[in-house]
C-alpha cells in the first residue's frame, strides 16, 4: 500500500544475458575491428602475409634474401633519384613509424594539455590523428577536428603543439581543394569520377606541420639564372620542405618588411638575379631607387635601365616618368587587353625601391614628399595591369610611414622587432596563424614568411644569399641593353585618337517637367508654363 507523499523508486528490469552470448558478441566486435584495420592498412597486411608465406616455403632464407634485395634496390633508388625515393618509399615508412611510436603515444596528453579536447555527453572527445607523412625535414599530421572546431583554434596553440611533440617549430594550415585537371579520351569518365573524390572539399581536416629538422639553417645558394624568366614563377627561396618557393610577379606589387640586418638585400637581389635573363634580352626594365646613396644597388648599375641614388629630385622625376609610361600604356591598351603582356618591344617595367620610408616619411621637403606620394599612389593603384610594377622594402610598416600599404597584394615578412608589425606586413591574424617573424633567431638572415598559393596560412622560407662577387658577375654577364633607358620614347608613339565627330544624343521633345508640376505652374500663371 502506498499513500500520497511516499517516495517510490522505480528501476528498469535488467536483462541478463548468458556468458557465452556476451563472449560471442565481444569476439565478433574484435573481428570487425580487425577487418576494418586490415582494410585501412592493406600494405602492412600484404607484407605480413607475404613474409609468412616465404618463411613457410623457404625458411629463414625466404625472409633474409628479400630484405637484402629490397635494401639494395632502395639504396640505388635513393642514389639515382632521392626526391621520388622520399615521396614513395622513405616518407611513407618513416611517417608510419613516427605515427605509431611518437605521435600516438603522446596524442591524448598533448591534445588535452593544449586545450583541444571537448566534453560531450560526459565523455571527452578529442581530434583524431589520421595519417602522418614525412620527408627529409617535416612531419605532416592529418588531423580530423572535433565537430564544432575551426583551424584557428589549432593555430592559436601552434607553439604549444610543437613543444608538446619535442620540437621548436610547427605551423597549421587547412587545405583548399584545387581545380581538377581537364580529362579527355576514353578514360575521361572514370578519371573524372576519381578526380571528384581526390579534389573534394574536406573542411573537417586540418594539417599540422612539425619541423623535425630545420632545413633553413643552411645558407641557400643562388639559383640558376633562367634564359627566359617565368614572370609567374620566379625561384627566390627554399621552403621548409626543401622545395623552391617562386614569386608570382606579373600583375602585382611586392612589399618586403624587415628590421635592419634581417636580409632584405637577399630578397631584392634574388629577384634581380631571377630577372637577369629578361634584363639582358630587353624583356624587363629595372628602374631602381636607392635612398642610401647607392650603398645597396650601385654595384649592379649595369643591370638597371634607370638608377637614382643620391638626389631626391631625381627619384621624384623617376617616379613621375613611370607614371608617364603608365598613362601612355593605359591610352594605348584600353579596350584591347585587360592585363599587359611583356614583350621586348613593350617590356615590363619594375620600379625597385629600397628603404621606402625615406621617401614617404623621413624626407624633409614636404612638397617633394607629396609629389613622391602622389606618383606612388598612382603606380600602386593602376600600374599592375599595364606592366609598371613596384617592389619596395622598408623597416617600419606602420600606416603613418607607408600610408598605401594595403595596395601591395604580395607581401614578405622578414625578421621584425614587434609582434604587431607582423600583421601590418602580412595582414590581420597572420601572427596567430604561425608567422612568428618577431621571434627570428640571430642566424636567420634572409629567413621570412610568405603566403603560399591556395592557402591563407604563412610559411617559412629562406631566400638565396647573393654575395658581392655574385652581383659583379651578374652585372658583367647580363647588362641591360644600351637603349634600355629610352623606354620613354614609346610615350610619343601614335595611339588611337579620340573621335572628333560624335552623333548627337537624342533629345525628347516637349517639356522636361512632370505633368503634376506642369499643372501647378499652369494654375499659378494662368497659362502655359514658362
Amino acid at each position: 500500500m502506498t499513500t500520497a507523499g511516499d517516495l517510490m523508486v522505480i528501476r528498469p528490469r535488467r536483462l541478463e544475458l548468458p556468458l557465452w552470448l556476451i563472449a560471442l558478441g565481444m569476439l565478433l566486435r574484435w573481428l570487425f575491428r580487425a577487418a576494418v584495420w586490415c582494410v585501412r592498412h592493406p600494405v602492412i597486411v600484404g607484407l605480413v602475409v607475404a613474409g609468412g608465406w616465404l618463411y613457410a616455403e623457404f625458411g629463414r632464407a625466404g625472409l633474409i634474401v628479400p630484405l637484402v634485395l629490397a635494401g639494395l634496390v632502395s639504396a640505388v633508388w635513393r642514389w639515382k633519384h632521392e626526391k621520388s625515393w622520399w615521396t614513395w618509399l622513405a616518407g611513407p615508412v618513416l611517417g608510419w613509424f613516427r605515427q605509431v611510436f611518437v605521435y600516438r603515444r603522446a596524442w591524448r596528453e598533448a591534445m588535452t594539455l593544449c586545450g583541444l579536447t571537448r566534453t560531450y555527453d560526459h565523455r571527452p572527445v578529442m581530434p583524431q590523428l589520421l595519417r602522418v607523412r614525412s620527408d627529409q625535414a617535416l612531419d605532416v599530421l592529418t588531423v580530423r577536428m572535433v565537430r564544432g572546431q575551426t583551424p584557428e583554434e589549432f593555430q592559436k596553440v601552434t607553439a604549444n603543439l610543437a613543444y608538446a611533440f619535442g620540437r621548436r617549430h610547427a605551423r597549421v594550415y587547412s587545405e583548399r581543394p584545387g581545380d581538377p585537371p581537364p580529362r579527355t579520351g576514353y578514360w575521361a569518365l572514370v578519371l573524372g569520377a576519381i578526380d571528384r573524390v581526390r579534389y573534394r572539399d574536406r573542411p573537417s581536416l586540418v594539417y599540422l606541420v612539425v619541423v623535425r629538422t630545420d632545413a633553413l639553417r643552411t645558407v641557400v645558394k643562388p639559383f640558376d639564372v633562367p634564359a627566359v624568366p617565368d614572370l609567374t614563377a620566379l625561384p627566390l627561396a627554399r621552403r621548409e620542405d626543401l622545395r623552391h618557393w617562386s614569386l608570382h610577379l606579373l600583375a602585382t606589387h611586392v612589399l618586403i618588411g624587415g628590421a635592419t640586418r634581417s636580409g632584405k638585400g637577399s630578397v631584392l637581389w634574388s629577384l634581380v638575379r631571377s630577372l637577369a635573363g629578361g634584363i639582358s634580352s630587353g624583356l624587363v626594365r629595372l628602374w631602381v631607387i636607392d635612398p642610401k646613396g647607392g650603398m645597396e644597388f650601385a654595384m649592379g648599375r649595369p643591370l638597371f635601365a634607370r638608377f637614382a641614388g643620391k638626389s631626391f629630385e631625381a627619384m621624384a622625376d623617376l617616379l613621375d616618368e613611370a607614371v608617364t609610361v603608365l598613362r601612355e600604356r593605359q591610352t594605348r591598351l584600353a579596350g584591347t587587353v585587360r592585363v599587359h603582356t611583356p614583350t621586348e618591344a613593350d617590356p615590363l617595367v619594375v620600379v625597385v625601391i629600397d628603404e621606402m620610408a625615406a621617401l614617404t616619411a623621413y624626407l624633409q621637403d614636404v612638397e617633394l614628399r607629396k609629389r613622391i606620394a602622389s606618383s606612388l599612389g598612382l603606380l600602386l593603384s593602376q600600374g599592375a595591369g599595364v606592366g609598371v610594377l613596384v617592389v619596395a622594402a622598408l623597416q617600419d610598416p606602420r600606416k603613418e610611414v607607408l600610408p598605401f600599404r594595403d595596395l601591395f597584394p604580395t607581401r614578405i615578412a622578414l625578421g621584425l622587432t614587434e609582434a604587431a608589425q607582423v600583421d601590418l606586413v602580412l595582414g590581420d591574424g597572420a601572427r596567430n596563424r604561425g608567422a612568428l617573424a618577431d621571434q627570428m633567431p640571430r642566424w636567420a638572415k634572409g629567413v621570412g614568411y610568405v603566403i603560399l598559393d591556395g592557402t591563407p596560412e604563412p610559411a617559412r622560407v629562406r631566400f638565396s644569399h647573393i654575395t658581392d662577387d655574385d652581383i659583379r658577375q651578374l652585372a658583367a654577364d647580363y647588362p641591360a641593353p644600351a637603349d634600355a633607358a629610352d623606354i620613354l620614347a614609346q610615350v610619343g608613339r601614335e595611339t588611337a585618337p579620340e573621335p572628333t565627330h560624335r552623333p548627337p544624343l537624342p533629345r525628347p521633345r516637349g517639356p522636361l517637367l512632370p505633368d503634376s508640376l506642369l499643372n501647378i505652374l499652369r494654375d499659378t500663371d494662368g497659362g502655359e508654363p514658362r
Side-chain angles (χ1 to χ4, degrees):
M1 297 292 293
T2 58
T3 60
D6 289 346
L7 178 63
M8 298 181 63
V9 179
I10 301 176
R11 295 187 178 93
R13 186 177 180 180
R14 298 180 59 184
L15 179 63
E16 296 183 0
L17 298 177
L19 184 60
W20 66 269
L21 187 58
I22 297 175
L24 179 61
M26 294 181 64
L27 179 61
L28 293 176
R29 181 181 180 184
W30 291 338
L31 290 176
F32 176 76
R33 288 187 175 183
V36 171
W37 189 91
C38 292
V39 171
R40 290 182 176 179
H41 304 83
V43 177
I44 299 176
V45 174
L47 291 176
V48 171
V49 172
W53 179 80
L54 290 173
Y55 183 77
E57 291 290 332
F58 305 102
R60 294 182 179 179
L63 296 179
I64 296 175
V65 173
L67 289 177
V68 173
L69 292 177
L72 292 175
V73 171
S74 175
V76 174
W77 188 0
R78 182 179 183 181
W79 174 45
K80 291 294 185 179
H81 201 280
E82 185 176 3
K83 184 178 179 180
S84 63
W85 179 78
W86 272 105
T87 302
W88 297 103
L89 180 62
V93 172
L94 180 60
W96 174 83
F97 179 84
R98 292 185 63 81
Q99 177 179 353
V100 174
F101 295 101
V102 177
Y103 294 107
R104 284 203 180 278
R105 294 180 59 185
W107 187 254
R108 179 179 295 272
E109 182 181 2
M111 293 296 104
T112 303
L113 297 180
C114 292
L116 294 174
T117 59
R118 295 291 185 270
T119 301
Y120 175 73
D121 198 13
H122 305 288
R123 293 182 301 174
V125 183
M126 65 180 59
Q128 299 179 14
L129 177 60
L130 301 181
R131 188 178 65 167
V132 177
R133 292 185 293 109
S134 300
D135 57 19
Q136 299 98 311
L138 305 177
D139 291 336
V140 182
L141 285 65
T142 304
V143 182
R144 176 177 284 119
M145 297 181 291
V146 176
R147 191 179 299 276
Q149 279 185 331
T150 61
E152 287 74 15
E153 298 182 40
F154 284 78
Q155 291 165 356
K156 292 179 181 178
V157 294
T158 299
N160 306 65
L161 291 171
Y163 281 90
F165 295 119
R167 301 299 172 186
R168 293 187 179 274
H169 301 287
R171 64 183 179 91
V172 174
Y173 71 94
S174 55
E175 191 174 29
R176 270 66 171 176
D179 296 328
R183 301 294 188 180
T184 58
Y186 183 76
W187 295 97
L189 185 62
V190 177
L191 295 177
I194 296 175
D195 289 339
R196 281 193 293 272
V197 177
R198 290 180 57 197
Y199 294 92
R200 69 186 185 277
D201 190 11
R202 294 179 288 182
S204 62
L205 300 185
V206 71
Y207 301 89
L208 173 63
V209 181
V210 180
V211 181
R212 191 176 66 253
T213 302
D214 195 351
L216 303 185
R217 271 190 168 272
T218 58
V219 177
V220 180
K221 297 181 180 180
F223 297 99
D224 296 334
V225 180
V228 180
D230 184 359
L231 300 176
T232 62
L234 298 172
L236 301 186
R238 178 195 294 163
R239 293 166 45 171
E240 289 178 320
D241 55 3
L242 300 180
R243 289 189 290 177
H244 293 169
W245 178 75
S246 299
L247 172 67
H248 189 292
L249 182 63
L250 192 64
T252 189
H253 304 293
V254 183
L255 176 63
I256 306 163
T260 304
R261 313 301 300 172
S262 62
K264 294 188 294 296
S266 296
V267 184
L268 295 173
W269 280 111
S270 296
L271 176 60
V272 173
R273 182 179 179 86
S274 63
L275 294 173
I279 292 173
S280 61
S281 66
L283 183 66
V284 180
R285 298 282 193 266
L286 290 186
W287 293 14
V288 177
I289 296 176
D290 189 353
K292 294 186 295 186
M295 292 298 297
E296 181 65 42
F297 284 105
M299 193 176 296
R301 180 64 183 87
L303 294 162
F304 312 138
R306 302 290 305 278
F307 181 80
K310 295 182 179 180
S311 171
F312 286 99
E313 288 280 354
M315 300 176 193
D317 292 340
L318 188 149
L319 293 175
D320 290 343
E321 292 168 357
V323 173
T324 304
V325 175
L326 179 149
R327 293 299 191 195
E328 184 273 336
R329 288 185 176 179
Q330 285 179 333
T331 305
R332 175 164 46 89
L333 301 177
T336 305
V337 295
R338 296 175 60 187
V339 178
H340 170 264
T341 301
T343 61
E344 294 182 6
D346 200 13
L348 180 72
V349 178
V350 182
V351 181
V352 182
I353 306 174
D354 188 27
E355 300 298 344
M356 192 174 187
L359 304 179
T360 59
Y362 307 144
L363 184 60
Q364 296 180 354
D365 191 332
V366 178
E367 296 299 327
L368 194 59
R369 187 168 69 242
K370 291 181 179 179
R371 177 182 163 195
I372 291 174
S374 176
S375 298
L376 283 173
L378 289 173
L379 293 175
L380 292 172
S381 61
Q382 304 177 23
V386 295
V388 183
L389 311 181
V390 177
V391 178
L394 80 166
Q395 299 182 27
D396 189 354
R398 290 176 299 172
K399 200 73 172 180
E400 54 268 24
V401 176
L402 187 61
F404 24 73
R405 183 184 63 238
D406 296 334
L407 296 179
F408 287 91
T410 304
R411 304 180 188 181
I412 300 170
L414 301 175
L416 297 167
T417 56
E418 300 177 6
Q421 293 181 352
V422 180
D423 291 345
L424 293 178
V425 176
L426 293 179
D428 292 339
R431 192 179 187 278
N432 291 334
R433 296 195 299 269
L436 304 179
D438 58 308
Q439 299 181 6
M440 286 290 186
R442 294 182 178 179
W443 57 264
K445 297 183 184 300
V447 178
Y449 288 88
V450 298
I451 303 297
L452 299 180
D453 292 338
T455 60
E457 292 81 9
R460 287 174 75 235
V461 299
R462 184 162 191 171
F463 293 87
S464 60
H465 177 62
I466 311 296
T467 64
D468 293 349
D469 293 336
D470 294 331
I471 296 174
R472 296 188 185 95
Q473 190 65 39
L474 199 67
D477 295 341
Y478 300 94
D483 59 345
D486 295 337
I487 190 174
L488 290 178
Q490 299 179 7
V491 177
R493 79 176 79 185
E494 293 185 1
T495 59
E498 290 290 330
T500 56
H501 301 286
R502 297 181 180 272
L505 296 176
R507 293 179 174 273
R509 295 186 177 182
L512 301 179
L513 299 178
D515 294 338
S516 59
L517 185 56
L518 284 173
N519 295 331
I520 295 175
L521 293 176
R522 289 191 184 100
D523 296 340
T524 303
D525 296 340
E528 292 294 328
R530 290 172 294 179

